[in-house]
Each structure stands twice: as C-alpha cells, then as structure tokens.
Amino acid sequence: MKVIAVIPAWNEERTIREVVRSVSAYALPLVVDDGSADRTAELALAAGARMVRHAVNRGLGAALGTGLKAALMLGAEIIFTFDADGQHDAADIPAVLAPIRERRADAVIGSRLLAPQGMPWIRHIANKLGNLATLALFGARVSDSQSGFRAFSRLAAEGLTIRTDGMEVSSEIAAQIRENGCRLVEVPIRAVYTDYSLSKGQSFFVGLWTLGKLFIHRVRR
Amino acid sequence: MNFLLIQLLIVLFVSFAAVGVVRRFLRGELRRAAAAGWLALWAAVAAAVLAPKTTELLARLLGVGRGVDVVLYLSVVGLFYLQFRTMLRLEKMDRAITAAVRAAALGDLAREQPEIKPSAHSRE
C-alpha cells in the first residue's frame, strides 16, 4: 500500500530534518513548503522528502489542501497529515494507520486529548474550546478537533474539499469527515511539547481570530 | 446664511468624493447602481452638514432623540456593514490567490514527475 505523509511546513528549519527522517520509516514524506524564508525546503529535500512548494505563504489550510491533492496525484492509497514542528511522535504512526489498513475506518484523528499527559493546561482549555466551536458550528463531535495528525483512505481524501487557508482548517476537516459520512476512529497519540512546538501553536488571540474565520466560513457555506 | 469652517471643509471633501464617483462611473469602473448609491450617500452627508435640521426630521421619524444621534447610529451600522463586506471580499481574494499558488505548485510537481497527469486533482 502506498502511504504518503503530508507535512505542511513554514519556516521549520529547526525540526524539519528530524521529522522527515522519523516519518520516512513508515511512509513517503511529502513536505509542502508554504513559502518558507529559511532553509526548510533545502533541509527537507536533503533528508529525502518529496516536495511541493508554495511561492508565497498561504497558511496551514492552504498547505494541507495542496498536500492532499499532491498525495492523490502521486497515487497514495493512504494519506496522513503530520505536523512539521516536532509535536508528533512517529512511533504513533502504525496505530493511527491501523484502522484504515484494517478497513475499520475511512478517517482517523490522532487525539492528544485521549491521553493528555503533559499537555499545558492553557493548551488543554484552548483545545476544548476548539472542540466546542467545531461542535456548535458544524455538529462534529470529536475529542481533538485541532489535531494535526490525521489519516485518510484514498476515497476519504478524495472527498475532502479544503476551502479555508488558515488554522481553521482543522475544524473544517472534522466537519467534512462527518458530512461525507466517513467512518471515523480516534486514536490516542502522544504530543511532544517543547518551547519550540508551543511557540508554533495558536496563541490566544490567533485562536480568537480562527474562531471568527470559522464563523464566517460557516455563514458562507 | 453663515456656515462654520468645519461645514465648508466637509462639503469640500464630499464634493471631491462625489466627483471621484462620477469619474469612476464614466471610466466604467463602477456600475450604475453602485454609482447612484454612493452619490445618494454623499448627497445625504452634504444635506446633513449644510442643513442639520433635516437629521432632526429623520430622528423624529425613527424615534431617536436628536439628529446627531441618528447620524451616529447610522454611521456605526454603515461602518460595520462595510467592514463585513471588506472581510468577505478579502476572503474571496485570499481563495483566488491560494488557488493560483496551488495550481502552480501542483503544476511543478507534475512536470517533475512525467508519469503524473495533472488531473482533476490539480484544479480547484
């Protein structure tokens, strides 16, 4: 089975090499360089990644949208998304892919909140609020709507139409999994919190902005 | 009739704005309905500035205390509406830029790998 890891990356020269190497053991790493101004692209290529490049920075949602389409073009049968900031543990990949390999699920969300040990309390609250907004706006009830570690069968990935450009994409994907009638399984994953990965997450005000954009997205659908 | 300096300055500004609307309409950059709407707005501003009593009439009609208040309320509502419209427009432009950037990125990928056909996946 051809498995492709979509890794959206923007200015991740500190972590991209290690992330690509760790993922390579399980899948073909496909890095979407989202207009980085640093050496992200160069280091990812040197580590053995395939690459698609945005000429200018367009945001997480845009990078994921491009990555999913590129993975389909490359003939992926299973696609998973994986953060480039080193937040995820590659050792969790087999468990996240298992429900799709065993045809028990069309989509899997790697949930940090099913095993929240070590998660800073402020991040815990922010993620719960993200879940609440996803439920209120889209009717999708998941334990970690903001997780960047998700897997899809080819058919499920083909059904996704990413319209948002920014961080709000996580809720959009959760909503589409539900709307498309995909069988969803949530698998507990470990989150690796470092000062770096925390600095790359959403701040409180970015979270509010994301909420506002989600609302507009909901109104316009 | 004596006018205050502020009234004259506002009317001067309104005149420039109205001339701008007419020019853009004549150049074909503004549709007839939009041009008429903008001209009506600027005419209303000029009337409110030159004859403040007209706003009192509107205030009485709407049940608001003073003419100044009705102008303030309508301005706030109008600004919120314009802000919302601007946000939606920006959102639309953002999507168009993303679509162009994505098409270029996927086109590059297809060129690098001749066996890949830039199929429906590369289109929005």
Side-chain angles (χ1 to χ4, degrees), chain A residues 50-56 58 61-62 65-66 69-70 72-74 154 163 165 209 213 216-217 220, chain B residues 84 87-88 91-92 94-95 97-98 101-102 105-106 109-110 112-113 116-118 120-124:
Chain A
R50 294 297 310 271
M51 175 83 60
V52 264
R53 280 183 177 161
H54 281 176
V56 289
R58 297 307 304 147
T66 300
K69 283 177 186 286
L72 290 170
M73 282 169 65
L74 290 168
R154 182 179 179 88
R163 294 194 181 88
D165 283 346
W209 179 242
K213 291 188 82 172
I216 289 177
H217 177 65
R220 295 195 70 179
Chain B
F84 187 67
M87 270 182 79
L88 292 182
E91 190 83 2
K92 198 173 165 188
D94 264 341
R95 284 184 190 184
I97 294 169
T98 296
V101 168
R102 180 171 293 153
L106 295 176
L109 181 71
E112 282 168 22
Q113 288 224 232
I116 302 176
K117 295 184 198 87
H121 299 308
S122 64
R123 293 193 293 272
E124 277 300 294

Side-chain angles (χ1 to χ4, degrees), chain A residues 8-159:
Chain A
W10 180 52
N11 294 340
E12 302 280 13
E13 65 180 4
R14 282 175 63 175
T15 51
I16 193 69
R17 190 165 27 194
E18 191 45 45
V19 169
V20 168
R21 282 184 184 153
S22 66
V23 165
S24 299
Y26 305 95
L28 171 69
L30 173 65
V31 171
V32 185
D33 175 33
D34 191 21
S36 297
D38 64 3
R39 298 173 65 216
T40 298
E42 177 191 335
L43 295 173
L45 282 171
R50 294 297 310 271
M51 175 83 60
V52 264
R53 280 183 177 161
H54 281 176
V56 289
N57 178 245
R58 297 307 304 147
L60 176 66
L64 280 174
T66 300
L68 288 169
K69 283 177 186 286
L72 290 170
M73 282 169 65
L74 290 168
E77 289 157 277
I78 297 179
I79 302 169
F80 67 94
T81 65
F82 201 84
D83 286 353
D85 60 5
Q87 187 196 131
H88 303 314
D89 185 351
D92 285 325
I93 293 172
V96 169
L97 301 188
I100 293 176
R101 284 188 191 282
E102 294 159 12
R103 304 192 189 284
R104 286 186 286 118
D106 307 304
V108 176
I109 291 179
S111 173
R112 300 159 300 175
L113 290 165
L114 290 176
Q117 292 85 359
M119 180 179 281
W121 66 270
I122 188 83
R123 198 47 75 88
H124 199 109
I125 292 172
N127 283 319
K128 289 278 185 192
L129 287 175
N131 292 347
L132 200 62
T134 307
L135 176 63
L137 293 173
F138 303 104
R141 186 190 295 275
V142 288
S143 68
D144 190 0
S145 62
Q146 306 305 302
S147 173
F149 192 178
R150 330 163 184 85
F152 307 96
S153 66
R154 182 179 179 88
L155 199 64
E158 282 176 336

Side-chain angles (χ1 to χ4, degrees), chain B residues 47-62:
Chain B
V49 168
L50 293 174
K53 290 257 188 268
T54 53
T55 61
E56 300 284 342
L57 187 69
L58 190 61
R60 272 202 299 277
L61 271 173
L62 294 175

Side-chain angles (χ1 to χ4, degrees), chain B:
Chain B
M1 186 184 276
N2 289 328
F3 291 113
L4 298 172
L5 181 60
I6 185 70
Q7 288 175 297
L8 295 175
L9 285 175
I10 293 175
V11 169
L12 195 64
F13 171 78
V14 165
S15 308
F16 277 124
V19 169
V21 170
V22 173
R23 276 183 163 172
R24 288 185 62 194
F25 172 66
L26 291 176
R27 281 202 300 260
E29 295 168 8
L30 214 54
R31 281 178 297 186
R32 187 185 297 269
W38 278 110
L39 284 177
L41 175 75
W42 292 125
V45 172
V49 168
L50 293 174
K53 290 257 188 268
T54 53
T55 61
E56 300 284 342
L57 187 69
L58 190 61
R60 272 202 299 277
L61 271 173
L62 294 175
V64 181
R66 299 179 305 164
V68 176
D69 292 339
V70 85
V71 170
L72 267 177
Y73 294 154
L74 289 178
S75 301
V76 169
V77 170
L79 285 172
F80 267 114
Y81 176 70
L82 279 180
Q83 177 66 27
F84 187 67
R85 284 286 303 266
T86 307
M87 270 182 79
L88 292 182
R89 203 176 170 82
L90 276 177
E91 190 83 2
K92 198 173 165 188
M93 281 169 62
D94 264 341
R95 284 184 190 184
I97 294 169
T98 296
V101 168
R102 180 171 293 153
L106 295 176
D108 288 345
L109 181 71
R111 270 189 293 280
E112 282 168 22
Q113 288 224 232
E115 75 272 17
I116 302 176
K117 295 184 198 87
S119 62
H121 299 308
S122 64
R123 293 193 293 272
E124 277 300 294

